[in-house]
Amino acid sequence: MTRWRPFGSVRARATLAATCVVAVALLAAGAALVLSLRANLVGQADTQAESAARRVASQLAAGIAYARLDWPDEEDHPVRVADEWGRPVAASEDLRAVDGTPVHVVRTTPTPTPSASATSGPSGGSDDDGSGDESDDHGGDRTDDHHGGGRGGDDDNAAGGDDEDDDPAVGEISDDVTHTAGTATVDDDTRDYRFAALEVTTPGDVTLTVRAGAPLDAEQGAVGTALTTLAVGLPLLLLTVAGVTWLVTRRALRPVEGIRAEMAAITASEDLARRVPVPGTGDEVARLARTTNRTLTALEASVERQRRFVADASHELRSPLASLRTQLEVGAAHPELLDVDGAVEDTVRLQHLAADLLLLARLDAGERPGDARVPLDALAREAARGREAVVVEQAEEVAVTGSRGQLARVLANLLDNGRRHARQRVTVTVRRDGDRAVVTVADDGPGIPADQRERVFERFVRLDDARARDDGGTGLGLAIARDIARRHGGTLTAAEAPGGGALFTLRLPVAPD
């Protein structure tokens, strides 16, 4: 009993395979789409954040005071300015915290720059006077202020060491930008941002770090929408693919099911005359149906041939057995009337018939001919020796590969058939024709009609009175000869001899040197 399997049918396996392939492809495409979308939107946010940072940095590089900075939109682009120690010195108005750290702007005592003190003040006085004016005017919010512990003069600059080598020049903005992800709280609203941080050196030779952000709301919304669409659409699309594949596969396999059902009916009824339906699609299934029908035709012919063979064999055996039994019964009742010669003749005929039937059975079973090297010229002379009226006119040296015994049986059958119907003699020739060895056996008898020259090779077939059952013939000799010739890769044909009789031509592959 066949155990049920959930995917035991071709239709189920095809549907599962198609669905899995489409699912993998869609998942890969969806992942690539989401990642590409996210990378593109994050890149845009980085660009916006860097633009906002450079906008503020350019003002700081120009020496604009913190209080006079033109900040970008606080909610979309929060900005924090920190000194070298990371302490916030300026920030957007509503910025409360960055990455969870509160923003407390540090106010320090201002110190004027040399360039600013030389040009500032209404009277153009000394450096000390000018710096005092700047302190009074800007309340300590100039970008050139030196914060507590920072760089306060030439001695501090000289002691700065290698750490200051990477700082941008005075009044310049660094080309190095660091992009990070984080959070910012603006007006008590905490959101995710992409931050761009860069350094700038003020005209007062103070290096500051400007960190500006750009919101990730667009990126998060677009990615969320894409994921939701994939989560809803992917199962629906897979269900559609599975359903369409199931229907298409069922339609494609419907002719196969018809072939299977018809074959099952033929097996049950044992009616080999029936044929499976051939679809008009012209595809692989149609070719399968045509091949199946050709197989059924060959099987029907084989079975019919076997039936006819059994019937003919039974008929051939019945006649000599009935004759032999009659003779034995007469001999038992009247010993003086026993026909010993007739009984022996019938027994020999039975023996020959049994040997022919056994050989045919072995040939039908696929007995291989062997690979011995057989000289046909010598075999022809040997077969002709001892048979009256048989003449070997030509015998070239040529050899073939096969079974010596079976090839000798072919020549014997052809010679016996020729002697049985010849008027005076049978002529044999052996020659080589290219890569073929050719043996001809011709008699001067009545010959074979053209429309019967293939039929004579059928089993138990005898022609009209000229070839009726006589001299012990069984009707199997020519059939055996052709079967042996075919199993040796050759052919055996019948034609009309030049003298008007029958001409049999045997062609076999020549043995390699």
Side-chain angles (χ1 to χ4, degrees):
M1 181 178 180
T2 303
R3 186 177 62 179
W4 178 83
R5 294 183 298 172
F7 296 102
S9 67
V10 175
R11 181 168 51 185
R13 290 196 296 269
T15 301
L16 177 63
T19 304
C20 290
V21 170
V22 173
V24 172
L26 290 178
L27 288 175
L33 174 64
V34 171
L35 293 176
S36 176
L37 177 63
R38 184 179 183 278
N40 185 36
L41 294 177
V42 168
Q44 293 181 7
D46 288 341
T47 302
Q48 294 174 5
E50 181 179 351
S51 176
R54 289 191 179 278
R55 175 182 172 184
V56 175
S58 65
Q59 299 178 61
L60 294 173
I64 297 177
Y66 300 145
R68 295 181 180 179
L69 290 175
D70 183 15
W71 302 100
D73 182 76
E74 292 85 353
E75 184 175 357
D76 289 339
H77 301 293
V79 182
R80 185 188 71 169
V81 181
D83 59 14
E84 294 180 71
W85 294 273
R87 297 178 302 180
V89 296
S92 300
E93 181 179 356
D94 296 326
L95 181 61
R96 300 288 182 265
V98 176
D99 294 335
T101 302
V103 177
H104 298 296
V105 177
V106 177
R107 301 300 183 185
T108 61
T109 302
T111 301
T113 66
S115 61
S117 63
T119 59
S120 63
S123 61
S126 64
D127 293 343
D128 293 340
D129 294 339
S131 62
D133 293 339
E134 290 297 328
S135 176
D136 292 340
D137 292 341
H138 300 296
D141 285 335
R142 290 285 293 174
T143 62
D144 51 5
D145 292 346
H146 292 282
H147 309 293
R151 291 178 291 182
D154 294 339
D155 293 340
D156 292 335
N157 291 337
D162 296 336
D163 293 340
E164 297 181 359
D165 293 343
D166 294 334
D167 294 340
V170 174
E172 297 293 334
I173 302 173
S174 174
D175 292 331
D176 297 331
V177 182
T178 302
H179 295 283
T180 58
T183 61
T185 303
V186 180
D187 285 338
D188 298 328
D189 182 15
T190 301
R191 298 158 63 187
D192 293 327
Y193 288 84
R194 287 289 295 182
F195 289 98
L198 53 82
E199 292 183 343
V200 59
T201 301
T202 67
D205 198 15
V206 177
T207 300
L208 301 174
T209 300
V210 180
R211 190 182 187 198
L216 292 176
D217 295 344
E219 179 266 336
Q220 293 173 348
V223 172
T225 301
L227 291 176
T228 302
T229 302
L230 290 175
V232 174
L234 184 60
L236 294 177
L237 184 58
L238 291 179
L239 288 176
T240 302
V241 171
V244 171
T245 305
W246 180 272
L247 294 176
V248 171
T249 308
R250 182 178 66 177
R251 182 178 181 85
L253 293 179
R254 188 175 299 164
V256 178
E257 177 60 24
I259 294 173
R260 186 208 62 79
E262 185 63 24
M263 289 297 295
I266 292 174
T267 303
S269 64
E270 298 183 358
D271 182 8
L272 296 178
R274 300 174 61 174
R275 296 294 180 266
V276 300
V278 179
T281 55
D283 55 8
E284 292 84 352
V285 178
R287 292 195 292 271
L288 172 64
R290 287 192 291 269
T291 302
T292 302
N293 285 336
R294 286 195 295 268
T295 302
L296 289 173
T297 300
L299 182 60
E300 181 185 17
S302 176
V303 171
E304 181 62 28
R305 186 168 55 252
Q306 291 296 330
R307 290 175 179 172
R308 188 168 61 250
F309 176 78
V310 172
D312 291 340
S314 300
H315 178 74
E316 292 293 333
L317 289 172
R318 183 176 58 182
S319 297
L321 286 175
S323 175
L324 182 60
R325 177 180 178 180
T326 301
Q327 295 180 37
L328 293 177
E329 289 178 349
V330 171
H334 306 282
E336 69 280 2
L337 299 178
L338 178 62
D339 185 4
V340 178
D341 295 337
V344 171
E345 182 179 349
D346 289 338
T347 304
V348 171
R349 183 179 178 187
L350 283 174
Q351 182 181 5
H352 289 167
L353 181 58
D356 290 344
L357 293 176
L358 180 60
L359 178 57
L360 284 174
R362 293 203 308 267
L363 294 176
D364 290 341
E367 179 180 344
R368 301 184 65 84
D371 55 359
R373 186 179 179 87
V374 181
L376 278 184
D377 53 318
L379 196 64
R381 292 190 184 94
E382 181 180 338
R385 189 179 301 117
R387 285 183 168 86
E388 296 181 359
V390 176
V391 178
V392 180
E393 288 189 347
Q394 179 184 1
E396 296 182 8
E397 291 186 4
V398 59
V400 297
T401 301
S403 170
R404 181 182 180 86
Q406 291 184 5
L407 293 175
R409 182 63 181 273
V410 172
L411 292 178
N413 287 357
L414 293 177
L415 294 179
D416 290 341
N417 179 79
R419 289 180 59 244
R420 188 176 300 116
H421 305 290
R423 294 189 179 92
Q424 293 183 353
R425 71 174 193 168
V426 177
T427 303
V428 180
T429 65
V430 180
R431 58 186 175 86
R432 178 168 182 165
D433 184 11
D435 62 345
R436 294 281 167 170
V438 181
V439 179
T440 62
V441 178
D443 63 58
D444 57 357
I448 304 174
D451 59 344
Q452 300 291 323
R453 288 172 186 169
E454 281 298 315
R455 185 168 174 266
V456 295
F457 293 105
E458 297 179 8
R459 299 174 182 181
F460 297 109
V461 170
R462 298 184 183 85
L463 300 183
D464 297 333
D465 295 340
R467 294 184 179 269
R469 184 189 295 116
D470 55 9
D471 297 333
T474 62
L476 294 175
L478 295 180
I480 292 174
R482 170 169 277 190
D483 283 350
I484 294 176
R486 286 177 174 174
R487 279 166 175 75
H488 282 74
T491 60
L492 178 61
T493 58
E496 183 178 359
L503 173 65
F504 292 91
T505 303
L506 173 66
R507 294 179 179 271
L508 297 172
V510 175
D513 295 336

